[in-house]
Amino acid sequence: MTQMKKYLSFIFILLFAFADYTFAIDFNDITINEKLFQELKTKAKSENKLIFIYFSSSFCGPCKKMEKYILPNDSINTFYEDKFILAKVHVNLKNIKKCKVLKDYEINSFPHFLILNFNGKIIHKAIGYHDIDSFIELGNQALSENDNFMSWKKRIRNGELDYGLITNYLRSINPHSLEAKEILKGYYNTQPSDLLSSSQNWELTCNYITDQHSIPFCHLINNINLYKKKHGEFDVNTKLFDVYFDSIGGLYDLNPIDQKIQDNINNSDIEMAKVALTFKSLLLTIFSENPDLGKFVREADCLVSKYYKYLNSGTIQIWTEKITEYAEKNNDKKALELAQKWTSIIRQNKDSI
């Protein structure tokens, strides 16, 4: 099967138009077919333009934010309409597993921006929310022969590991992939110990490090007070919580926590590790077969009240829904007030929890 046929063999919505297309418009659903996609490629070839595909999803908060505040911007639309053939692909929970193009182009997070030539070859790509300036920069990088995704990939494969290069590249791939971990490992191996806490290395650590056994995280653990002094207690505590929470299964793994890991955390003197363990334990409790929701309410409220700035808002939302259900079923006014309080916390602190 050719790359073209591979690209065409997915079953989900493709929304696109040509000269009159703007990201601000929500088109009617159009089922992808070979003729439609070939027209897209033919137009790209005839106009000597690249194809710019925006992948969004029904469960993507940053997508909705971009579509509300960034993509309708006049300068964005003028720039992209002039430089690219534009398309939008929308993914939902019903079709995401059937979408072969996601696998073919390694699209595993949203929003995702993919730039192809008329043969379907990747020229540039980017992941995540962009403001107006960075979104224009994304387009300019795609148009550059020496400063786009494929050129970055080639340079890294040739052994270049400077900060600017790897940060550009990491913004374009899954930051949790094996490839990203190997790049970061290679980079940190080039850094002397006294530079691991520098501002630029801390930025890398905050954005991409998830392994508690990695060089930068071990350095952080051994020098917590130094990092708090240089980079602030909130950011350091947030990073500590995130890494430890991921190490015990994160938000979606509902398997029991390994006893050895529990013992190691309980025996440590790192507060945020213990907070992460308590948080995960409560998450497992609420999804257990016969949860003691009354006890859960009391313990969870203490945790949320003290540490809400570090906690995942999605999980607090799950807790809120569960407790609301419990409160209404049992006519528990205190539990209902608690759920309302958590909802308020999410709204007021959505950028920090």
Side-chain angles (χ1 to χ4, degrees):
M1 181 180 287
T2 65
Q3 184 69 7
M4 166 60 79
K5 289 181 179 178
K6 286 182 181 180
Y7 202 137
L8 294 173
S9 60
F10 58 92
I11 310 173
F12 64 100
I13 301 164
L14 173 66
L15 306 176
F16 88 99
F18 296 124
D20 60 347
Y21 180 88
T22 68
F23 285 114
I25 298 175
D26 193 7
F27 291 92
N28 293 324
D29 296 352
I30 302 174
T31 303
I32 184 63
N33 58 66
E34 186 168 352
K35 179 181 178 182
L36 192 62
F37 196 77
Q38 187 58 48
E39 288 177 358
L40 183 69
K41 293 177 65 178
T42 300
K43 188 168 183 68
K45 184 176 182 179
S46 66
E47 296 188 14
N48 193 29
K49 292 182 178 180
L50 297 174
I51 301 168
F52 187 104
I53 305 177
Y54 161 43
F55 292 85
S56 68
S57 77
S58 56
F59 44 86
C60 170
C63 298
K64 295 174 182 178
K65 186 176 179 181
M66 285 199 69
E67 289 166 10
K68 182 175 182 180
Y69 297 109
I70 307 302
L71 302 184
N73 179 270
D74 289 341
S75 61
I76 292 289
N77 285 303
T78 299
F79 174 83
Y80 276 92
E81 287 177 354
D82 182 57
K83 305 293 185 182
F84 299 94
I85 303 300
L86 301 171
K88 176 184 176 182
V89 174
H90 186 73
V91 183
N92 59 48
L93 290 173
K94 292 182 179 180
N95 57 35
I96 188 169
K97 292 183 178 179
K98 300 177 182 179
C99 180
K100 193 172 185 296
V101 71
L102 299 182
K103 181 179 179 181
D104 290 343
Y105 286 96
E106 299 181 353
I107 296 165
N108 43 36
S109 57
F110 306 94
H112 200 116
F113 307 98
L114 184 66
I115 298 90
L116 311 171
N117 65 14
F118 63 84
N119 287 321
K121 179 182 177 181
I122 295 176
I123 301 300
H124 192 53
K125 59 190 293 190
I127 297 172
Y129 179 85
H130 287 64
D131 60 22
I132 292 174
D133 290 339
S134 64
F135 198 60
I136 294 291
E137 181 184 10
L138 188 164
N140 283 322
Q141 287 173 336
L143 297 169
S144 169
E145 294 184 2
N146 300 314
D147 193 29
N148 58 34
F149 174 78
M150 294 309 295
S151 67
W152 300 335
K153 187 170 187 174
K154 182 178 180 180
R155 289 167 60 190
I156 288 173
R157 285 183 173 179
N158 289 336
E160 289 187 50
L161 288 172
D162 66 83
Y163 173 80
L165 173 61
I166 68 168
T167 50
N168 279 333
Y169 190 73
L170 289 171
R171 292 190 190 107
S172 304
I173 65 174
N174 179 359
H176 304 301
S177 65
L178 180 61
E179 180 185 17
K181 291 179 179 179
E182 290 299 314
I183 291 171
L184 287 163
K185 181 179 179 180
Y187 170 78
Y188 280 112
N189 278 330
T190 69
Q191 298 296 293
S193 179
D194 60 339
L195 289 182
L196 288 175
S197 63
S198 68
S199 295
Q200 66 178 28
N201 284 337
W202 173 242
E203 183 179 0
L204 275 181
T205 298
C206 283
N207 291 336
Y208 302 111
I209 295 299
T210 58
D211 181 4
Q212 63 176 317
H213 303 297
S214 63
I215 293 172
F217 194 75
C218 289
H219 190 265
L220 167 60
I221 293 302
N222 292 326
N223 300 274
I224 289 179
N225 290 334
L226 170 66
Y227 277 82
K228 287 183 177 179
K229 183 177 180 180
K230 294 180 71 171
H231 307 298
E233 183 174 358
F234 173 78
D235 286 346
V236 172
N237 280 343
T238 300
K239 189 61 193 177
L240 290 169
F241 175 86
D242 288 346
V243 172
Y244 280 109
F245 188 59
D246 284 345
S247 75
I248 50 178
L251 186 58
Y252 302 108
D253 183 355
L254 299 180
N255 292 313
I257 305 169
D258 183 88
Q259 187 61 49
K260 185 177 180 180
I261 294 176
Q262 289 192 59
D263 292 341
N264 288 338
I265 291 177
N266 285 325
N267 292 329
S268 75
D269 57 358
I270 301 171
E271 179 186 15
M272 296 310 296
K274 295 179 180 179
V275 172
L277 179 60
T278 304
F279 185 50
K280 180 67 176 184
S281 298
L282 286 169
L283 183 64
L284 294 177
T285 296
I286 202 169
F287 284 102
S288 62
E289 188 172 345
N290 294 300
D292 183 346
L293 291 180
K295 181 181 178 182
F296 169 83
V297 166
R298 295 188 297 273
E299 293 182 357
D301 188 38
C302 292
L303 185 70
V304 173
S305 297
K306 187 174 181 180
Y307 295 106
Y308 67 87
K309 290 185 178 180
Y310 309 112
L311 304 184
N312 182 286
S313 60
T315 303
I316 299 178
Q317 184 63 45
I318 292 173
W319 289 1
T320 301
E321 293 170 359
K322 289 283 185 179
I323 295 306
T324 300
E325 181 182 344
Y326 161 80
E328 292 175 347
K329 183 177 180 180
N330 295 278
N331 195 27
D332 189 328
K333 293 182 179 180
K334 289 186 177 180
L336 187 59
E337 290 174 359
L338 177 61
Q340 292 171 345
K341 183 180 79 171
W342 289 353
T343 300
S344 177
I345 285 174
I346 293 170
R347 290 173 179 170
Q348 292 176 14
N349 302 281
K350 60 183 178 180
D351 293 329
S352 61
I353 62 176

